[in-house]
Amino acid sequence: MLAAPRSAPAWHVSRWFGTDEPLSLERLRGRIVVLHAFQILCPGCVLRGIPQAQRIAEVFAGAPVQVVGLHTVFEHHEVMRPEALAAFLHEYRVRFPVGVDVPGEPGDPIPRTMRAYGLRGTPSTVLIDAAGAIRAEYFGVHDDLALGAAIGALVTEADGTLTTNQPSVQSERVRCEGGCGPVSDS
Amino acid sequence: MLAAPRSAPAWHVSRWFGTDEPLSLERLRGRIVVLHAFQILCPGCVLRGIPQAQRIAEVFAGAPVQVVGLHTVFEHHEVMRPEALAAFLHEYRVRFPVGVDVPGEPGDPIPRTMRAYGLRGTPSTVLIDAAGAIRAEYFGVHDDLALGAAIGALVTEADGTLTTNQPSVQSERVRCEGGCGPVSDS
Amino acid sequence: MLAAPRSAPAWHVSRWFGTDEPLSLERLRGRIVVLHAFQILCPGCVLRGIPQAQRIAEVFAGAPVQVVGLHTVFEHHEVMRPEALAAFLHEYRVRFPVGVDVPGEPGDPIPRTMRAYGLRGTPSTVLIDAAGAIRAEYFGVHDDLALGAAIGALVTEADGTLTTNQPSVQSERVRCEGGCGPVSDS
Amino acid sequence: MLAAPRSAPAWHVSRWFGTDEPLSLERLRGRIVVLHAFQILCPGCVLRGIPQAQRIAEVFAGAPVQVVGLHTVFEHHEVMRPEALAAFLHEYRVRFPVGVDVPGEPGDPIPRTMRAYGLRGTPSTVLIDAAGAIRAEYFGVHDDLALGAAIGALVTEADGTLTTNQPSVQSERVRCEGGCGPVSDS
C-alpha cells in the first residue's frame, strides 16, 4: 500500500487558516504529513473526509504526524471563495491548518497544487513521509484501519514514536463497548 | 502505544473452529497476531468487537497479519458452550479461526488463557509481534485508526509488506465518498 | 402501508420474561402492540431488530403502545433454550417483556405462534391495532420513519394520545445537531 | 407531541429552487407539510437535518406529505447567498423544493419567515397539518421514530392514505437485516 517514494511538489497556497506562519514541506520535514484535499461543497468531503481528517489530527496529536487541509476548488469557484471557507472552518470547528490552493492557469479550472499532484478530485488524501516524499494517494474516502496502518508504518519507518489517543467523538455507544469484566475476579 | 515486548503466554485451547490444525504462537511466528478475546453473549463484542476483528482480517488479508479469536467464557458458562459458539460463528459468518479457552482451575470462573494474559474482560484485543511478544493490549473496543496504526507499525518493524484492502462492508454511502472529479480535466 | 384488519392469532408462550403476569392480546386490548419476533443467534435481530424494538419501547413509553418480544426459535434449537435467552436479555438490558414461542408440532421446526402468524423468519415485526387486529407485518428490519408513521397512525385511529420521547441512545453527535441559534436574537 | 393547531404564518420567499411555481400554504392545503429550515453552513443541518428531510421525502413519496426546505440565513449572510445555495442543492442532490427566506428588517439578522415562525435556529422542522395549522415544531434533529409517528398521525387525522417506501440509502448492511428464514419451511 505504501509506494516507492517520489518527490512531493511544493504547495501553492494563497492564504492559510489555522496557522500563524505559512506551512511548507520544508518546514514539516521530519513529520509525516497527511495532506487532505477538499471542497466545502463536496458531500463526500463534508460528510466523510473532513470528519476523518479531524479524527486523524486528534488520534495522532502526540505523534510526529501533521494533518494539513488544502481547499482545492475546481468547480463553483464563485461560491467557494476564501470567505466561505473561513465560515465553514469556523462552523465545523476544523482544528488543523488549511491552505487555499492557488487558482490554475488561465482557462484551467484545476488549481495549481492539485494539478501538480495530479489529484483526480475531492476528497483526496496524500501521505508524505518524513523525508518529504509521497508514499500513498487515495481518491475518495479510505478505510480507517488501512489509513491508520499506513500512517503507523510511516511513523515507524522514520523511527518516530507512535502515540495515539482515542478520539472524542464516538459512535453510538453500546453496552460493554468499553469492555465488561467478571463480577468477581478472584 | 506500542509497549516494550513481553513474552506472550501459550494458548490453552480445548477446541478450534475455522482451522484444520490447532494454532499456536510458535506456528504463527513471523506474523503479527491480533488476538481477539470475546464472548457470544457480550453486547460490546457482538456489536463492535467481532465486526472490527472481521474488518481487520479482511483489510489485512494480504499482509503478514493473522486474526485469532478466543472464546473466553467467564460468565453464563452453561449457555456459552462450544455448540453455541459454533452456531454463532456460522450465523455471523466469522471468517477467522477461533479457539475455545480452557475453563479455569476449580473455583475460578476465568478461563486459563484469559487468566494467563491477565485480561480484564471482553472484548479485549492483544497485539503480538512477529517474534511472539505482546506489544499492546486493549480492553474494550479501540479506535480503528489507532488500532490500524499499531498493526502497521508492527508489520513495518518486522520488515513485512503492508498490503491492505478496502473492506466489503461499508458504512452508509454518501455522494462523492468515492471521490468526485472535475467534469472536464483539461 | 396499513392493511385491512385481520384477526390476530392467540400467542402460544411457554414462559415469559420481564413481566409478572403472562401477556395476551386480550389483556392488551386498547393498546397498539408491536410484536417483535427474533432469535438470539440471528445477526439482523441482534444488530438491528432488537435495538429498534428497544428504541420503540423508549420513544413510545408514554403512549398506548406495548412492545412485546417473541423468541421464535426455528433453528439451532439446542443452543437457544430459555436459559440462553435469559442470559441474553440480561446482558443486552432488554426492557420489554419477551415470551418464548412454544415448539412446533413433532417434525415441525417452526414454533407454534410463528406458524400461526405465517412469519417468514426473523426478525419480523407485526403491528396489532387497539382492537386486536393485525394491520402490518414486516419481514426484516423496517425503516424507522415508516415504522414510526404506522405506529402514529394506529394510535391516532384509536383516539389515543401520541406522546413520544427522544431515545437515550443517540448516534454520533455532530455540532448543531441539537440546533444552533443566532448569537443575538434581537 | 402534536400540539393544538395554531395558524401557520405565510412564507416570505424571494426565490424558489426545485419547483416550477412558487409554493404557498394555500397551494399545499390538504397535504401535510414538513417545513425544514436550514443553512448550508450549519453542520447539524448538513450532516443530519438535510439527510433526514431527504429520507422523509423519499419514504412518504406516495402519501399526501410535502417536504419544503427553507434557507433561513441568520449568519454569514455574504457567503450563503442564493448562488451558494444553488450549488449546494445540486451537489447534495436535494430532491425537495427549497425557498430562500427573505432577509429581515434593517438591523435584524433573522430572515422574515424565520422571525414570523419564532424559530430558535437551525435545523428546525415544523409540521403543518392538512388544514394549514402548525402542529409541532422541533429545534435540532428529532428522532426518526418520533417524527415518523407525528407525520403518520397527521396523515391519519386528515383521512389520508399512509403509503411508505423503504429509503434507498441504507445504513451499513448486516446479515439477516432483510430477514433470515428457515431452511426448510415444511
Side-chain angles (χ1 to χ4, degrees):
Chain A
M1 198 177 78
L2 292 177
R6 63 186 170 99
S7 184
W11 301 337
H12 301 276
V13 166
S14 60
R15 183 169 166 190
W16 284 98
F17 292 94
T19 171
D20 292 332
E21 298 184 46
L23 295 179
S24 69
L25 286 165
E26 287 69 34
R27 287 173 54 100
L28 293 168
R29 199 59 48 91
R31 314 196 73 187
I32 311 309
V33 174
V34 180
L35 183 66
H36 186 70
F38 71 101
Q39 296 180 102
I40 61 171
L41 287 177
C42 152
C45 303
V46 175
L47 299 171
R48 295 277 185 273
I50 296 282
Q52 184 183 59
Q54 297 253 57
R55 281 183 286 109
I56 293 172
E58 194 172 1
V59 167
F60 297 99
V65 173
Q66 179 66 51
V67 175
V68 176
L70 189 66
H71 197 222
T72 54
V73 179
F74 60 77
E75 58 187 351
H76 306 301
H77 296 82
E78 68 292 347
V79 293
M80 291 201 274
R81 295 213 174 104
E83 294 71 29
L85 173 64
F88 176 92
L89 298 176
H90 173 75
E91 292 300 325
Y92 282 78
R93 304 283 188 260
V94 172
R95 309 282 185 200
F96 51 81
V98 175
V100 176
D101 199 358
V102 167
E105 303 294 327
D108 185 1
I110 313 292
R112 286 184 61 192
T113 312
M114 183 177 172
R115 178 66 77 196
Y117 277 74
L119 302 180
R120 280 168 285 170
T122 57
S124 282
T125 301
V126 182
L127 297 188
I128 300 170
D129 67 20
I134 295 175
R135 301 297 296 284
E137 189 222 306
Y138 312 101
F139 177 44
V141 178
H142 205 64
D143 178 68
D144 274 2
L145 282 165
L147 192 49
I151 295 172
L154 291 177
V155 169
T156 302
E157 242 187 44
D159 278 328
T161 301
L162 182 61
T163 311
T164 54
N165 312 106
Q166 283 286 88
S168 56
V169 175
Q170 295 286 329
S171 61
E172 179 185 319
R173 290 295 178 81
V174 302
R175 215 178 90 72
C176 295
E177 179 168 313
C180 272
V183 177
S184 151
D185 194 346
S186 61
Chain B
M1 198 178 80
L2 292 177
R6 64 188 169 95
S7 183
W11 301 337
H12 300 275
V13 165
S14 59
R15 185 170 165 188
W16 284 98
F17 292 94
T19 172
D20 291 333
E21 296 184 47
L23 296 179
S24 69
L25 286 165
E26 287 69 35
R27 287 174 53 101
L28 293 167
R29 199 58 49 89
R31 314 195 74 189
I32 312 307
V33 175
V34 180
L35 183 66
H36 185 71
F38 71 100
Q39 296 180 103
I40 61 172
L41 287 177
C42 152
C45 302
V46 175
L47 299 170
R48 294 279 183 271
I50 296 281
Q52 184 183 59
Q54 298 253 58
R55 281 184 286 109
I56 293 173
E58 194 171 1
V59 167
F60 296 99
V65 172
Q66 178 67 52
V67 175
V68 176
L70 188 65
H71 198 221
T72 53
V73 180
F74 60 77
E75 58 187 352
H76 306 300
H77 296 82
E78 68 291 348
V79 293
M80 290 201 274
R81 295 213 173 104
E83 294 72 29
L85 173 64
F88 176 92
L89 298 175
H90 173 75
E91 293 299 326
Y92 282 79
R93 303 286 188 256
V94 173
R95 308 286 185 196
F96 50 82
V98 174
V100 176
D101 199 358
V102 167
E105 302 294 326
D108 185 1
I110 314 292
R112 284 184 60 190
T113 312
M114 182 177 173
R115 177 66 78 197
Y117 277 75
L119 303 180
R120 280 168 285 171
T122 56
S124 282
T125 301
V126 182
L127 298 187
I128 299 170
D129 67 20
I134 295 174
R135 300 298 297 283
E137 188 222 307
Y138 312 101
F139 177 43
V141 178
H142 206 63
D143 177 69
D144 273 2
L145 283 165
L147 192 49
I151 295 171
L154 291 177
V155 169
T156 302
E157 240 187 45
D159 278 326
T161 302
L162 182 61
T163 311
T164 54
N165 313 107
Q166 282 287 87
S168 56
V169 175
Q170 295 286 330
S171 61
E172 180 185 318
R173 289 295 178 81
V174 302
R175 216 179 89 72
C176 296
E177 178 167 313
C180 272
V183 177
S184 152
D185 193 346
S186 61
Chain C
M1 198 178 79
L2 292 178
R6 65 186 169 96
S7 183
W11 301 338
H12 301 276
V13 165
S14 60
R15 185 169 164 189
W16 283 98
F17 291 94
T19 172
D20 292 333
E21 297 183 46
L23 296 179
S24 69
L25 286 165
E26 286 70 35
R27 287 174 52 101
L28 293 168
R29 199 59 48 90
R31 314 195 73 187
I32 312 307
V33 174
V34 180
L35 183 67
H36 186 70
F38 70 100
Q39 296 180 103
I40 61 171
L41 286 176
C42 153
C45 302
V46 175
L47 299 170
R48 295 277 185 271
I50 295 282
Q52 184 183 59
Q54 298 253 58
R55 280 184 287 108
I56 294 172
E58 195 172 359
V59 167
F60 296 99
V65 173
Q66 177 67 50
V67 175
V68 176
L70 188 66
H71 198 222
T72 53
V73 179
F74 60 78
E75 59 188 349
H76 306 301
H77 296 81
E78 68 293 346
V79 293
M80 292 201 274
R81 295 212 173 103
E83 294 71 29
L85 173 64
F88 176 91
L89 298 176
H90 173 75
E91 292 299 325
Y92 282 79
R93 303 286 188 256
V94 173
R95 308 285 185 198
F96 51 81
V98 174
V100 177
D101 199 0
V102 167
E105 303 294 326
D108 185 0
I110 313 293
R112 286 184 61 190
T113 312
M114 182 178 173
R115 178 65 78 197
Y117 277 75
L119 303 181
R120 281 168 285 170
T122 56
S124 282
T125 301
V126 182
L127 297 187
I128 299 170
D129 66 21
I134 295 176
R135 300 297 297 283
E137 188 222 307
Y138 312 101
F139 177 42
V141 178
H142 205 64
D143 177 69
D144 274 2
L145 283 165
L147 192 48
I151 295 171
L154 291 177
V155 170
T156 302
E157 243 188 43
D159 277 326
T161 302
L162 182 61
T163 310
T164 55
N165 313 106
Q166 282 287 86
S168 57
V169 175
Q170 295 286 330
S171 61
E172 180 185 317
R173 289 295 177 82
V174 303
R175 215 179 90 72
C176 296
E177 178 166 315
C180 272
V183 177
S184 152
D185 194 345
S186 61
Chain D
M1 197 178 78
L2 292 178
R6 63 187 170 98
S7 183
W11 300 337
H12 300 275
V13 166
S14 60
R15 185 169 164 188
W16 284 98
F17 292 94
T19 172
D20 292 332
E21 297 184 47
L23 296 179
S24 69
L25 286 165
E26 287 69 34
R27 286 174 53 98
L28 293 167
R29 199 58 47 92
R31 313 196 75 190
I32 311 307
V33 175
V34 180
L35 182 67
H36 185 70
F38 70 101
Q39 297 180 103
I40 61 172
L41 286 176
C42 152
C45 302
V46 175
L47 299 170
R48 295 277 185 273
I50 296 283
Q52 184 184 59
Q54 298 252 58
R55 280 183 287 109
I56 293 172
E58 195 172 0
V59 167
F60 296 99
V65 173
Q66 178 66 52
V67 175
V68 176
L70 187 67
H71 197 221
T72 53
V73 179
F74 60 77
E75 59 187 349
H76 307 299
H77 297 81
E78 68 291 348
V79 294
M80 291 201 275
R81 295 214 173 102
E83 295 72 29
L85 173 64
F88 176 92
L89 298 176
H90 173 76
E91 293 299 325
Y92 282 79
R93 303 285 188 258
V94 172
R95 308 285 185 198
F96 50 82
V98 175
V100 177
D101 199 359
V102 167
E105 302 294 326
D108 185 1
I110 313 292
R112 284 184 59 190
T113 312
M114 182 177 173
R115 177 67 76 197
Y117 277 74
L119 303 180
R120 280 168 286 171
T122 56
S124 282
T125 300
V126 182
L127 297 187
I128 299 170
D129 67 22
I134 296 175
R135 301 297 297 284
E137 188 223 306
Y138 312 101
F139 176 43
V141 178
H142 206 65
D143 177 69
D144 274 2
L145 283 165
L147 192 48
I151 295 172
L154 291 177
V155 170
T156 302
E157 241 188 45
D159 278 326
T161 302
L162 182 61
T163 311
T164 55
N165 312 106
Q166 281 287 87
S168 57
V169 175
Q170 295 286 331
S171 62
E172 178 186 319
R173 289 296 177 82
V174 302
R175 214 178 90 71
C176 295
E177 178 167 313
C180 271
V183 177
S184 152
D185 195 346
S186 62

